[in-house]
Amino acid sequence: MQPPMIGTWQVRIMAARAYSIHGDAYYEMQVTPDNSTEAEPSQMILRAPSHAFTTPPATNQRVEIQFLMGQVTSVKVI
């Protein structure tokens, strides 16, 4: 499963961790899309700059992620 070039996904955050690259703050999230099933959960790792978040990510939080050119531009809690 690949992130869209342009669009949004609704996902559940299964795990998240903060990290930095050359002093810039980012989050790495393990997410499960809302359309996955318990029989076939499809989890993936997404990375996003901290400024894309309205609140820091938390485990089991449902969010809407907005993409532009395959990059995360916004993460909002649903």
Side-chain angles (χ1 to χ4, degrees), residues 7-76:
T8 60
W9 273 356
Q10 290 187 356
V11 301
R12 182 170 306 277
I13 298 173
M14 306 311 287
R17 72 174 184 96
Y19 69 100
S20 70
I21 299 174
H22 304 294
D24 293 330
Y26 289 84
Y27 286 104
E28 182 177 78
M29 302 173 292
Q30 181 179 354
V31 301
T32 301
D34 278 356
N35 62 356
S36 67
T37 65
E38 282 189 32
E40 266 190 65
S42 64
Q43 294 187 357
M44 64 182 313
I45 302 293
L46 293 176
R47 294 175 184 91
S50 63
H51 65 79
F53 293 80
T54 54
T55 60
T59 301
N60 221 19
Q61 194 173 53
R62 283 189 66 232
V63 296
E64 182 175 82
I65 300 176
Q66 191 167 35
F67 296 89
L68 180 62
M69 300 304 290
Q71 301 297 311
V72 175
T73 59
S74 173
V75 181
K76 296 178 185 171

